Amino acid sequence: MPLAPFSIDDAAAHVLTALDERRSIPPLTAQAGGLGLDDASRISRAVTKLRQARGEQPVGRKIGFTNRTIWDEYGVHHPIDGPMYDTTVSHISGAVTGVSLGRFVEPRIEPEIVLALRAEPEPGMGETALIGCIGWIAHGFEIVQSLFPEWKFKGADCIAAFGLHGALLCGPRTAITAANSTAMLRALTDFSVTIRRNGEVMDKGHAANVLGGPLSALRHLAEAIAQDPEASPLAAGDIITTGTITRAFPVHPGERWTTSIDGLALPGLDVAFAG
């Protein structure tokens, strides 16, 4: 059953207050009336308006659940997306220490590929055309979070609650140019990422995990937005993070997380977390 229209703003205020107070709430889908995907998207847009009203500005999108190898683990079997903000995206270089986890609820860490748009991608574009829409790429850690206890939710809950986005730590950029676009296009379908916690290998993932590769994830996003008349279009300058290449892992103060990349000319990350 859909939410009554007057409930959309109330639900948006509810999830944003929980975020600000760093507390868990029951899944919206478990409450009286439930929650469908369309109303979840309306809640997401209402949250964005609330965040803009207090000075936060959208700077791009995160795409979640592009990694089909983790769909059964979370019980969500389709991609989602949500906005990222100037308050949640940070650009880092080299080893970074003391990154605070204090503002997140049940945070987890995900290694991702980040794409910055130079032009709006159109639905139906092939990957050769899509690479021409990219100004630069980078490797990043997304800190995802769940307002819903023990990460138990449905896809609509995730959409309503920020797409699970907490923060993006974006590493050094590599420009896409006429000279390197063909090599980058090939590499973006055939690289791997190894993630380590305190030096111990936790997982290794391949580009194909994210819907076949980061450009395929971008194509999915462009097509999903085109099918939603209420969605804001993608635009030049937007930053898009394309989904976790490995499993997502709980992250705690005192831990150091590092990555290494094979087959793609981007440096790994080295981040130590604090409370």
Side-chain angles (χ1 to χ4, degrees), residues 124-193:
M125 274 186 168
E127 296 198 355
T128 300
L130 283 171
I131 197 76
C133 296
I134 308 302
W136 53 263
I137 68 171
H139 173 39
F141 278 143
E142 187 183 12
I143 306 302
V144 289
Q145 60 181 334
S146 173
L147 297 183
F148 312 110
E150 299 181 356
W151 285 74
K152 304 297 184 184
F153 44 58
K154 295 183 178 179
D157 297 304
C158 303
I159 293 168
F162 330 111
L164 304 179
H165 176 68
L168 172 66
L169 306 175
C170 184
R173 309 173 183 184
T174 294
I176 301 295
T177 66
N180 70 8
S181 62
T182 299
M184 282 294 186
L185 176 62
R186 184 169 55 251
L188 282 168
T189 66
D190 193 26
F191 68 90
S192 62
V193 175

Side-chain angles (χ1 to χ4, degrees), residues 12 58 82 86 88 115 149 166 174 201 211 235:
D86 56 359
T88 66
L115 310 174
T174 294
V201 172
L211 299 181

Side-chain angles (χ1 to χ4, degrees), residues 7-19 23 43 46-47 50:
S7 299
I8 297 296
D9 289 342
D10 291 343
H14 179 54
V15 297
L16 189 56
T17 298
L19 174 68
R23 60 179 173 84
I43 293 169
V47 168
L50 290 174

